[in-house]
Amino acid sequence: MARITRRSLLVSASTVAATLSVGKRFSFSQSSPNDADDLKLWYTQPASQWVDALPIGNGRLGAMVFGGGAIHTNAVKDAKGEPTSGPVPTDPAKETLQLNEDTLWSGLPVDGNNRDAKNYLSAIREAVLQQKNYHLADQLCRKMQGLFAEAYQPLGNLHVDCTHTGQVTGYRRELDLASAIAATRYTVDDTQFERIAFSSAKDQAIVLRVSASRPGQLNATIWLDGPLEKSVKTVGGNRLLLTGKAPKHIAGAGHPGGEDPAVFSDVAGEGMYFAATLQANIQGGHISATGNSLIIKGATACTIVLTAATGYRGFDKSPDTPQAVVTQLASRQLDSALTHSDSTLHERHIADYKRLFNRVSLTLGPNHQAALPTDQRLANFASAPDPSLLALYFHYGRYLLISSSRPGTQAANLQGIWNYQVQPPWSSNWTTNINVQMNYWPAETCNLSDCTEPLITFIEGLRDTGTRTAQEMYGLPGWVTHHNIDIWRAANPVGMGVGAPTWANWGMSGPWLCAHLFEHYRFTRDREFLRTRAYPLMKGSAEFCLAWLIDDGEGHLTTCPSESTENDFMAPDGKPAMTSAGCTMDMALIRELFTNCIAASKELALDHDFAAKLETARNKLIPYRIGSHGQLQEWSIDFVESTPGQRHMSHLYPLYPGNEITPRGTPELAKAARISLERRLANGGAYTGWSRAWAIGFWSRLGDGDKAWESLSMLMQHSTNLNLFDTHPAGKTSIFQIDGNFGATAAIAEMLMQSHTDVIDLLPALPSAWPSGEVKGLRARGAVEIDLRWANGKATAATIRPDLSGEYRLRAPAEQNIASITGKGETPLRKNSDGSVAFTLEAKQIYRVRFA
C-alpha cells in the first residue's frame, strides 16, 4: 500500500491540466453563431479554468467542455479550499473534455459506526436536560463520531489538439439547452471549424465531432490522461484506452490525514478499477496510432465516441471487479454505441433529451440582451436587471438535473456529476442536511419526476446501512442517517472525534429524505409506489424517531442530542455551544414524517395501531415557539444567536420546503418566520448560493414576489459564475456547488405556482419586475399539469391537464377571480371561504381557465 502526498498529486495533475483539450460537432447547418436563442449560454472566449467550462451529462457520464481552455494545474486544494495555482492560458484550437463517471469513488464498503457511541447517550442527555452543560454535551458528542465518508473521483481528460497555419477569428462557444449540445466554432483563413459535444443517455456514450468546412483541413492529435491513470495505450489504429484505479481512501481537507490525502493500494477491492475507451472515425484523410495518441492528417471531420466503466458492484459489495473485466465492459458499450451512425447517435440523443426538457417552457418578457454573451449579461445584471436571464437560469437548472440524475444512475451529488479533483470540496459527496435535498426540489414542480428515481434508490440503500447504524450506535429500531453520505451509503455520524457536532452529529436526514418520498406520491398519486416503496421507508424512519424521542420533563417529547444544522448558540456562560434538545427543525421534520405516515396508513388502509402511536407522539412534540424578537425560535430555548447571519436557516423548514407554516393557515407563525428571515438577511445571511436560493423559496411561500426578486438579483450578482454555476465562498475565491442552481430553479417555480396547501395558487409571488410572461408544464400536487400566461401583472389565461379524475381547488392571483373553467363544457365551481374554488375534473382532459 502506498500513500500519495499532496506534492505528488500536484505534480501529476499539472502534467494533466497544462494541456487539457477536447472537441466535437456534427454539421454547420444546425445553428448560426448569430442566433439570438433564449436557450443558449454563449461566450466569445474559451474557458480559462475548470469552473468556467460548460457541462454535459447523461446522468452517469459527465464532461466539462472547455472550448479550448484548461483546468487548474492542481487536483487538490489547500486546507481552506483555495486553489494553489491559477488558470492555465487557453488555445482555441485545442479542445478539452474533463470526464466523470458517477460510480467512480474512493474507498470500499466499511463499517464506519462507532460502536462505543451508545455508551455516551445517557450522559449527553443528562448534561443537556438536567445540568444545562451544553459544552460538556458537545465534548461527549464527539466521542460518538465514526469514520469520515469517501470522495467522488475524476475519470480523466480527453484532448483534441488541432493545428492550424493561420489565426483564429470569429470564436464562439455555447451550450444549447434545447438540445443538450456544447459547441465551439471559429474560422481560420477561409475555413470554418466546428466542435460539438454531447453525452447520450440512450447510448451511454460521450460523442465528439470535430469538422472543417473545407475538405482535408483537419489535422489533430487525440489523447487521454488523468490524475488517477495507470495506463494509456492505443488499441488498433483508431482506439485509445485509459485505465486506472481509485484510491483506497481520500481524506478531506482538514480531516485526519488530510495533509496527505490519497491512499492507494494494489490490492483488488481496495479502491476500484476503471476504464475509459474511445474510437475515432474520420471522414477523409488518414488516422494513425503514434505512442499513446491518435494522429489525424488531412481529414474533413472526425467523430469520437467514448465510453467508460468502473469496478463498482453496489454499495454493499467489494469493488473488486478485475481491470480486464472493467475494460471489457467499457469496450462492449463502445461497440454497442458504434453500431449506430453519427447522425443516428445524434438523433437518439436529441429525442431522448427533448422528451424530458420540452415538458416545461418559461418566458419572463422579451429578451433585450440576447445579442450579448452570457457572461456580459451576468456582469450587467446589477445595472440592467434582466428577467430573461432568470428564465435561462431556470431552464439551466432543469438541464443540470436531467444531465446529472437519470433512472439507473447515482443521485446528483454536491457537484452533480462534475468534478476534476482527487480531493474535491466536501468530498463532492452527498451532504444531507440540505444540499442533496435541495438538488431535488425542482424535480416534481418542474415536471422531472422521472429524475427522482436515483434519489429514491439512494434512500433505499440508506435504509439498509442506516438500520445497522441505528442498532450499533443507538441500540434503537428503524433506520437513521446523518449529514455526510458517500457511494457506500455511509449512515454514521462522521467526524472521528474532530468534527463539530452541529454538522457531524446531526441525525435528521432520514426524515427529511422521507419527505421527498411522500411528495413524490402527492405529485404523482402513484399508490403502488406509496405501498411498495415509500411507506416502508417512511415507517422505518418513523420507528427510529419514535424510539429516539424522550420526555423533556415538561410534558413534551423532545430529541436529545439535537443540533440545528451547522449553527450554534450562546450558552449561559456567554460562550458558543452546539448541542441542546428539541431544535425546531427536529420537531418540524419528525412532525411532518409522522403526519405523512398517518396519511399513508389511512390511504393504504394498514398499520392503524402504528399510526395511532404516531398521532399520540405527534401531539406531544414541542410546539413552535416565538422568541423575544418576535422571531420563530431556532431552538426550544430562546438562546441568543452566536451567528445571527448563519447561512443555514433550518428553523424555517416548516415554511419551505415544508408546509406547516403558511400566511393563511398560521398567520402568527408566518409573521414570526418572516422576522427570522429578515434578521438573518440583515446580518449577512444567504451569502452562499444555496442559502440565497433558500431565501427565494421562503419569500415565495410568504407571498412576497418583490423580495423574492431582490434575492434572485443578489444570487445573480454575488453567487453565480459566468457559466451560471452556483458558487460558494471559499477564502479569496469561490467554488462550484450545484444545489443553489436547483434551489433557485425550484423557487422560481414557487413564485409562479404553489400547491403545498392542496390548493393550486396561481402567481402567488409574482414580482413587479415580471409584468408579463408565460409558463407551460408546471406540475401541481394531485397529478395535474398547469400552463399560465399573464400580462400587466394579471393572469390572462391558464390551462389545467389532470392525470386523474377528482376534485381540485384553484385560487386566482391577488385581486382576481376565477370566472369560469371550461372543458367539454363549463365546469361547475364551488366557492370556498379561503378565496379558492373547488371543482371536479376528468382525467386526461384539457380545461381552460378564464379570469375576472
Side-chain angles (χ1 to χ4, degrees):
M1 183 185 302
R3 180 179 289 273
I4 187 168
T5 65
R6 180 181 298 276
R7 180 176 180 81
S8 62
L9 274 174
L10 292 177
V11 171
S12 64
S14 65
T15 304
V16 170
T19 48
L20 273 174
S21 308
V22 123
K24 54 191 172 187
R25 174 74 184 167
F26 273 86
S27 71
F28 290 97
S29 61
Q30 185 169 343
S31 61
S32 164
N34 297 318
D35 282 350
D37 192 328
D38 290 342
L39 291 175
K40 288 181 181 177
L41 289 70
W42 67 277
Y43 308 86
T44 57
Q45 66 286 320
S48 63
Q49 54 186 338
W50 182 89
V51 77
D52 296 338
L54 296 171
I56 59 172
N58 64 13
R60 184 179 72 90
L61 292 174
M64 292 290 283
V65 183
F66 286 74
I71 65 173
H72 283 295
T73 57
N74 61 300
V76 297
K77 294 194 174 188
D78 65 21
K80 295 181 180 179
E82 298 182 13
T84 56
S85 63
V88 175
T90 60
D91 181 351
K94 297 181 177 181
E95 179 58 285
T96 300
L97 264 66
Q98 185 274 317
L99 307 167
N100 287 103
E101 202 276 359
D102 75 338
T103 62
L104 183 56
W105 284 68
S106 64
L108 63 155
V110 297
D111 183 359
N113 296 319
N114 180 347
R115 298 193 180 204
D116 197 34
K118 63 172 71 74
N119 297 324
Y120 297 98
L121 190 55
S122 60
I124 292 172
R125 289 172 168 174
E126 180 179 353
V128 170
L129 295 172
Q130 298 177 28
Q131 301 174 20
K132 311 299 181 186
N133 189 340
Y134 306 108
H135 303 300
L136 175 60
D138 288 345
Q139 295 172 20
L140 293 171
C141 278
R142 286 186 168 91
K143 295 181 181 295
M144 299 183 72
Q145 294 171 2
L147 298 179
F148 277 103
E150 291 297 336
Y152 184 47
Q153 297 293 283
L155 177 67
N157 312 290
L158 169 59
H159 309 266
V160 177
D161 298 349
C162 296
T163 56
H164 306 305
T165 57
Q167 187 74 24
V168 170
T169 61
Y171 178 92
R172 169 172 165 145
R173 68 181 173 107
E174 69 180 31
L175 176 63
D176 186 356
L177 304 183
S179 61
I181 290 178
T184 301
R185 304 182 183 91
Y186 58 86
T187 299
V188 177
D189 296 329
D190 57 352
T191 302
Q192 293 177 298
F193 290 89
E194 216 173 25
R195 305 192 291 258
I196 72 164
F198 62 85
S199 185
S200 169
K202 198 73 173 176
D203 292 298
Q204 288 300 304
I206 290 175
V207 180
L208 307 152
R209 185 169 171 88
V210 186
S211 59
S213 62
R214 295 176 63 242
Q217 297 301 303
L218 180 62
N219 300 287
T221 300
I222 303 170
W223 52 290
L224 293 168
D225 69 353
L228 300 176
E229 73 172 69
K230 281 184 172 290
S231 170
V232 177
K233 64 181 182 180
T234 58
V235 180
N238 65 345
R239 284 196 178 192
L240 289 175
L241 171 66
L242 179 149
T243 59
K245 194 170 190 285
K248 176 184 178 182
H249 174 63
I250 291 290
H255 298 177
E259 66 283 355
D260 294 324
V263 179
F264 286 94
S265 170
D266 291 328
V267 177
E270 294 187 350
M272 66 181 72
Y273 292 105
F274 65 89
T277 185
L278 67 81
Q279 180 168 312
N281 295 325
I282 59 172
Q283 177 184 335
H286 176 73
I287 185 170
S288 62
T290 302
N292 296 329
S293 302
L294 300 178
I295 308 299
I296 298 171
K297 293 182 179 180
T300 303
C302 174
T303 299
I304 302 167
V305 180
L306 181 145
T307 58
T310 76
Y312 180 72
R313 300 194 299 121
F315 69 88
D316 56 349
K317 298 178 178 63
S318 173
D320 56 5
T321 308
Q323 179 70 75
V325 175
V326 173
T327 299
Q328 187 179 50
L329 289 172
S331 297
R332 283 178 179 172
Q333 188 59 54
L334 179 60
D335 292 339
S336 175
L338 289 170
T339 61
H340 303 292
S341 67
D342 292 359
S343 59
T344 301
L345 287 170
H346 179 263
E347 291 165 2
R348 283 162 61 87
H349 160 70
I350 295 288
D352 171 77
Y353 172 75
K354 285 182 175 290
R355 174 182 60 85
L356 297 169
F357 187 80
N358 285 358
R359 292 174 182 175
V360 172
S361 65
L362 172 67
T363 57
L364 295 175
N367 184 353
H368 297 298
Q369 299 194 46
L372 296 178
T374 304
D375 52 340
Q376 192 170 335
R377 292 175 68 185
L378 186 65
N380 293 347
F381 199 92
S383 59
D386 184 0
S388 63
L389 185 60
L390 267 301
L392 180 65
Y393 188 97
F394 171 84
H395 291 303
Y396 189 50
R398 296 193 306 115
Y399 166 83
L400 291 173
L401 188 58
I402 295 169
S403 301
S404 62
S405 184
R406 293 286 199 103
T409 73
Q410 298 296 309
N413 64 46
L414 274 175
Q415 297 181 185
I417 55 171
W418 300 280
N419 166 50
Y420 73 98
Q421 294 172 284
V422 173
Q423 189 193 40
W426 299 287
S427 299
S428 191
N429 57 25
W430 292 283
T431 304
T432 50
N433 64 5
I434 186 171
N435 311 94
V436 71
Q437 290 92 338
M438 184 178 283
N439 285 0
Y440 287 90
W441 285 358
E444 302 292 352
T445 53
C446 294
N447 215 335
L448 293 174
S449 187
D450 327 45
C451 295
T452 65
E453 177 59 31
L455 179 68
I456 296 165
T457 304
F458 174 81
I459 299 169
E460 288 172 332
L462 286 175
R463 181 257 318 275
D464 295 346
T465 55
T467 297
R468 184 174 180 178
T469 297
Q471 294 169 349
E472 292 184 359
M473 293 197 61
Y474 302 111
L476 297 178
W479 63 275
V480 62
T481 58
H482 296 79
H483 107 292
N484 214 212
I485 296 166
D486 58 20
I487 198 168
W488 313 111
R489 304 297 183 257
N492 59 278
V494 301
M496 297 173 65
V498 300
T502 190
W503 50 264
N505 291 78
W506 182 80
M508 285 287 113
S509 60
W512 195 340
L513 290 167
C514 284
H516 285 257
L517 300 173
F518 199 67
E519 282 292 271
H520 184 72
Y521 169 69
R522 293 183 71 194
F523 275 93
T524 64
R525 302 302 294 177
D526 184 345
R527 187 173 296 178
E528 185 64 12
F529 165 79
L530 180 65
R531 184 182 67 83
T532 61
R533 300 184 71 185
Y535 179 68
L537 294 168
M538 293 161 56
K539 181 181 179 182
S541 181
E543 286 172 334
F544 175 84
C545 290
L546 196 60
W548 180 244
L549 291 167
I550 58 173
D551 195 305
D552 70 349
E554 298 178 4
H556 292 112
L557 291 177
T558 191
T559 54
C560 185
S562 179
E563 314 289 342
S564 190
T565 57
E566 304 195 30
N567 202 5
D568 47 27
F569 56 87
M570 301 305 291
D573 63 358
K575 298 179 181 179
M578 293 172 272
T579 305
S580 65
C583 289
T584 298
M585 188 183 216
D586 283 13
M587 296 297 102
L589 288 169
I590 293 174
R591 185 179 288 112
E592 179 183 64
L593 174 63
F594 287 5
T595 298
N596 291 344
C597 283
I598 293 167
S601 170
K602 183 177 180 180
E603 177 76 12
L604 300 172
L606 51 75
D607 280 344
H608 300 301
D609 292 344
F610 181 66
K613 291 180 181 178
L614 295 181
E615 187 165 10
T616 299
R618 182 183 62 178
N619 293 337
K620 295 182 68 177
L621 293 174
I622 297 173
Y624 299 122
R625 292 170 174 170
I626 297 175
S628 58
H629 300 286
Q631 88 285 8
L632 184 68
Q633 286 183 199
E634 187 165 353
W635 298 272
S636 58
I637 297 173
D638 193 11
F639 291 121
V640 174
E641 296 174 294
S642 57
T643 312
Q646 166 62 234
R647 62 195 178 279
H648 282 263
M649 294 176 267
S650 63
H651 53 309
L652 300 185
Y653 176 91
L655 175 64
Y656 182 73
N659 59 21
E660 276 192 280
I661 296 178
T662 66
R664 280 188 174 85
T666 56
E668 290 187 4
L669 289 175
K671 180 181 178 182
R674 184 184 183 105
I675 291 172
S676 288
L677 177 58
E678 290 171 341
R679 285 172 53 81
R680 207 60 134 217
L681 298 181
N683 284 281
Y687 58 86
T688 69
W690 66 260
S691 182
R692 180 61 66 180
W694 204 359
I696 302 163
F698 291 142
W699 288 125
S700 299
R701 286 287 177 89
L702 290 169
D704 196 327
D706 287 335
K707 280 293 186 181
W709 164 253
E710 179 182 285
S711 271
L712 274 169
S713 300
M714 296 287 283
L715 178 79
M716 301 305 288
Q717 294 173 53
H718 302 293
S719 299
T720 301
N721 192 58
L722 62 85
N723 67 351
L724 301 189
F725 266 174
D726 172 68
T727 63
H728 188 293
K732 298 177 182 179
T733 185
S734 295
I735 56 179
F736 165 50
Q737 193 170 305
I738 203 168
D739 40 21
N741 286 105
F742 296 132
T745 297
I748 291 171
E750 290 285 327
M751 295 167 72
L752 302 175
M753 194 238 350
Q754 297 175 14
S755 62
H756 56 287
T757 63
D758 293 324
V759 175
I760 301 170
D761 274 292
L762 303 179
L763 302 180
L766 184 70
S768 55
W770 300 351
S772 301
E774 182 176 30
V775 65
K776 293 182 178 180
L778 292 183
R779 295 283 292 184
R781 293 163 183 85
V784 62
E785 196 167 295
I786 303 291
D787 300 342
L788 179 62
R789 187 168 64 248
W790 67 96
N792 300 316
K794 302 288 186 182
T796 57
T799 301
I800 305 174
R801 293 182 294 277
D803 291 349
L804 305 172
S805 299
E807 183 169 293
Y808 293 84
R809 296 169 65 195
L810 185 70
R811 185 157 37 224
E815 301 180 6
Q816 288 189 268
N817 296 304
I818 306 295
S820 65
I821 297 178
T822 305
K824 296 177 180 178
E826 188 162 333
T827 302
L829 304 179
R830 302 178 295 280
K831 295 184 178 180
N832 298 313
S833 59
D834 62 0
S836 67
V837 295
F839 45 89
T840 301
L841 301 181
E842 293 182 22
K844 308 301 182 182
Q845 300 299 310
I846 297 175
Y847 295 86
R848 306 192 186 283
V849 181
R850 189 169 62 84
F851 298 94

